[in-house]
Amino acid sequence: MLKFAQPTMDEATIQGVVEVLRSNWLASGPKVTEFEAALSASFGSRPTRVVTSATAAIEIALQVCGIGPGDEVITSSQSFFSAMNMIVKVGATPVFVDCDLDTRFIDLAQVEAAITPHTKAILPTYFPGALGDISALHALARRHRLRVIEDAALVQGSYWQGQPIGSFGDIATFSFHPNKNMTTIEGGAIVVADEDQARLVEVLRFHGIERLPDGTRDVSVAAGKFNMSDVSAVIGLHQLRQLPALLAHRAELAACYFQHLPALPGLRLPPHGTPQQSWNMFNVLISYEQFGHTRPSFRAALQEMGIGTGMSYEACHLTSVGKQYGYHEGQFPNTERIARETVTLPLHAAMTPTDVQHVCTAVGHVLRPA
Ligand SMILES: Cc1ncc(COP(=O)(O)O)c(C=O)c1O
């Protein structure tokens, strides 16, 4: 069975985990510090802290920006649920806008139109393959004095105009879930602009605790517990070293998809990756009815041929939580079309180009015109 996503673990990583387990230091310790330093170096030396997931990183990012009740955060409905949920969790209001059909980048004209006196931040999501105009997004935010929290969960290793995502801007968050470009089992990172914000992240990820000069502890804010273990951090250190090779392999597989997927009206491929874009997923849009299929029947047909698929993403504004804010069907045509038509084909570093060709042949077989 070809899974649509899976992590790659080498023996050195497994050995590294064994060493940490034998060291008797399992929770946050020297490996976390080392991992944060290595990550920071990959993000242009910006202060970087690790947490237990990208979702935790987004929650903390919102808190670092002081966002809470009465505030609005503009975000793309075409995203994973984390951004919406964390905006709601800190007591703010998610304000959804549509995205570009190909790049899935947040629609900047709609962002500008959605700004009100209550708007505090823009929270865009980046999608693998091609990025939108990130410079224009930051310029817009600067004009309106808004914070920007980049949900970069899927695009670690992507570059915008020669600079790695995370190495510029305001705040960026990353995911190390096993389906991502690199993993720590579960985990995430938050990259901030200065050491003061990094210190606040440290407080917010660990009970709100601050150490007082007399050695006792105060709790300055009622915070949760999101610190990463050294076991996860050592996996991250090994994965980070392998990341360039893993990304190059993914890019080769994506190129193979472009070469071998059949050119069919009704099958929409992602935009050809702009140079230096990472490929976490390979998502296509399919007009299933044109081929006598529904999405479930298409996915079942591939499943029968030993090919797993995924779906990214549903429309956030049409979830039960989204609808509580008055959103309804018909508001964001691109997001809603993606939600109806998207399917994620297998793409991970354990695959070979022959695996990709096998998937392409299978897709062509299943999508014979009805
Ligand atoms: C765009 C995006 N943001 C955030 C997340 C959440 O990541 P995590 O599972 O590390 O919380 C995901 C997970 O798939 C994602 O796709």
Side-chain angles (χ1 to χ4, degrees), residues 1-6 179 250 257 280-282 299 307-312 343-348 351:
M1 183 76 199
L2 193 55
K3 293 188 187 152
F4 81 93
Q6 78 177 49
N179 288 355
R250 283 174 175 276
Y257 268 121
N280 179 255
M281 296 194 239
F282 197 90
R299 295 185 70 192
I307 298 169
T309 56
M311 275 196 306
S312 292
V343 69
T344 308
L345 301 177
L347 179 65
H348 53 77
M351 286 172 67

XYZ file of all heavy atoms in Angstrom, residues 1-6 179 250 257 280-282 299 307-312 343-348 351:
211
model
N 0.849 -1.210 0.000
C 0.000 0.000 0.000
C 0.880 1.255 0.000
O 1.763 1.393 0.847
C -0.884 -0.028 1.262
C -1.858 1.109 1.371
S -3.248 0.877 0.257
C -3.875 2.539 0.168
N 0.636 2.129 -0.948
C 1.381 3.386 -1.021
C 0.614 4.432 -0.211
O -0.510 4.804 -0.574
C 1.481 3.800 -2.496
C 2.435 4.899 -2.885
C 3.852 4.605 -2.428
C 2.396 5.066 -4.410
N 1.201 4.882 0.899
C 0.508 5.874 1.734
C 0.648 7.257 1.089
O 1.619 7.501 0.389
C 1.115 5.897 3.124
C 0.864 4.628 3.902
C 1.338 4.831 5.324
C 1.254 3.534 6.099
N 2.236 3.476 7.172
N -0.299 8.157 1.379
C -0.176 9.489 0.760
C 0.886 10.328 1.468
O 1.415 11.274 0.904
C -1.531 10.203 0.658
C -2.004 10.887 1.907
C -1.718 12.227 2.117
C -2.747 10.215 2.859
C -2.144 12.873 3.267
C -3.183 10.847 4.009
C -2.881 12.176 4.214
N 1.232 9.953 2.689
C 2.311 10.649 3.408
C 2.917 9.691 4.416
O 2.206 8.858 4.982
C 1.755 11.875 4.128
N 4.208 9.781 4.611
C 4.848 9.011 5.690
C 6.230 9.590 5.967
O 6.864 10.165 5.077
C 4.914 7.513 5.346
C 6.008 7.114 4.388
C 6.034 5.595 4.156
O 5.016 4.967 3.888
N 7.203 5.009 4.260
N 3.645 13.985 8.873
C 3.367 14.194 7.438
C 4.101 15.396 6.857
O 3.995 15.661 5.661
C 1.863 14.423 7.206
C 1.060 13.156 7.382
O 1.626 12.091 7.590
N -0.251 13.269 7.302
N 11.656 15.175 -2.728
C 10.250 15.528 -2.917
C 10.054 16.334 -4.205
O 9.083 16.131 -4.934
C 9.751 16.354 -1.721
C 9.463 15.541 -0.477
C 9.114 16.457 0.692
N 8.720 15.727 1.866
C 7.501 15.259 2.112
N 6.525 15.477 1.242
N 7.231 14.596 3.212
N 5.395 13.885 -11.263
C 3.927 13.998 -11.397
C 3.579 14.879 -12.589
O 2.709 14.541 -13.401
C 3.311 14.586 -10.125
C 2.872 13.559 -9.108
C 3.403 13.555 -7.832
C 1.915 12.593 -9.435
C 3.001 12.612 -6.890
C 1.506 11.647 -8.501
C 2.058 11.655 -7.237
O 1.656 10.715 -6.315
N 5.448 19.663 0.039
C 4.979 18.786 1.107
C 3.860 17.874 0.615
O 3.747 16.729 1.049
C 4.491 19.603 2.302
C 3.986 18.710 3.409
O 2.787 18.579 3.622
N 4.899 18.038 4.088
N 3.026 18.404 -0.271
C 1.894 17.616 -0.786
C 1.770 17.853 -2.272
O 2.243 18.868 -2.783
C 0.583 18.114 -0.177
C 0.438 17.968 1.285
S -1.311 18.231 1.653
C -1.242 19.590 2.737
N 1.112 16.930 -2.950
C 0.777 17.148 -4.359
C -0.741 17.036 -4.472
O -1.309 15.953 -4.429
C 1.479 16.135 -5.261
C 1.481 16.562 -6.694
C 2.528 17.332 -7.204
C 0.426 16.238 -7.531
C 2.522 17.764 -8.523
C 0.415 16.663 -8.864
C 1.467 17.419 -9.351
N -11.504 7.992 -4.810
C -10.524 7.602 -3.782
C -10.594 6.089 -3.524
O -9.563 5.435 -3.337
C -10.781 8.376 -2.490
C -10.551 9.874 -2.650
C -10.701 10.595 -1.333
N -9.608 10.274 -0.430
C -9.602 10.575 0.859
N -10.639 11.193 1.402
N -8.576 10.253 1.600
N -3.348 2.514 -3.533
C -2.850 3.899 -3.473
C -3.705 4.707 -2.491
O -4.912 4.892 -2.714
C -2.895 4.542 -4.887
C -1.975 3.762 -5.830
C -2.526 6.024 -4.826
C -2.135 4.116 -7.292
N -3.078 5.192 -1.439
C -3.789 6.013 -0.455
C -3.827 7.466 -0.901
O -2.916 7.941 -1.585
N -4.883 8.164 -0.531
C -5.003 9.591 -0.868
C -5.436 10.362 0.375
O -5.908 9.768 1.346
C -6.050 9.825 -1.980
O -7.289 9.255 -1.544
C -5.608 9.212 -3.302
N -5.294 11.676 0.314
C -5.740 12.519 1.424
C -6.604 13.653 0.893
O -6.890 13.719 -0.312
N -6.997 14.553 1.774
C -7.820 15.711 1.369
C -7.365 16.942 2.134
O -7.346 16.935 3.357
C -9.284 15.464 1.725
C -10.053 14.686 0.693
S -11.808 14.866 0.976
C -11.981 14.365 2.665
N -6.975 17.992 1.404
C -6.584 19.235 2.070
C -7.113 20.419 1.270
O -6.651 20.632 0.168
C -5.077 19.347 2.148
O -4.558 18.382 3.021
N -7.942 16.500 -3.921
C -7.468 15.205 -3.467
C -5.938 15.260 -3.453
O -5.328 15.891 -4.316
C -8.029 14.049 -4.331
C -7.457 14.046 -5.718
C -7.796 12.700 -3.671
N -5.356 14.664 -2.414
C -3.905 14.679 -2.246
C -3.343 13.333 -2.694
O -3.729 12.294 -2.156
C -3.542 14.914 -0.763
O -4.243 16.076 -0.308
C -2.046 15.124 -0.588
N -2.464 13.373 -3.683
C -1.841 12.137 -4.178
C -0.596 11.838 -3.332
O -0.025 12.745 -2.715
C -1.467 12.303 -5.655
C -2.651 12.616 -6.582
C -2.173 12.834 -8.022
C -3.703 11.505 -6.546
N -0.158 10.585 -3.306
C 0.990 10.239 -2.448
C 2.242 11.041 -2.805
O 2.589 11.179 -3.984
C 1.211 8.749 -2.743
C -0.093 8.248 -3.228
C -0.704 9.400 -3.990
N 2.877 11.578 -1.802
C 4.159 12.274 -1.991
C 4.912 12.255 -0.661
O 4.488 12.883 0.309
C 3.944 13.726 -2.436
C 5.225 14.550 -2.629
C 6.079 14.008 -3.764
C 4.893 16.009 -2.914
N 5.979 11.483 -0.623
C 6.838 11.487 0.566
C 8.196 10.939 0.174
O 8.357 10.299 -0.887
C 6.205 10.696 1.709
C 5.800 9.304 1.364
N 6.706 8.280 1.247
C 4.581 8.770 1.086
C 6.068 7.165 0.946
N 4.779 7.429 0.823
N 9.200 7.483 -1.332
C 8.724 7.049 -2.658
C 9.835 7.160 -3.702
O 10.798 7.900 -3.533
C 7.544 7.925 -3.101
C 6.250 7.616 -2.374
S 4.973 8.835 -2.771
C 4.671 8.525 -4.506
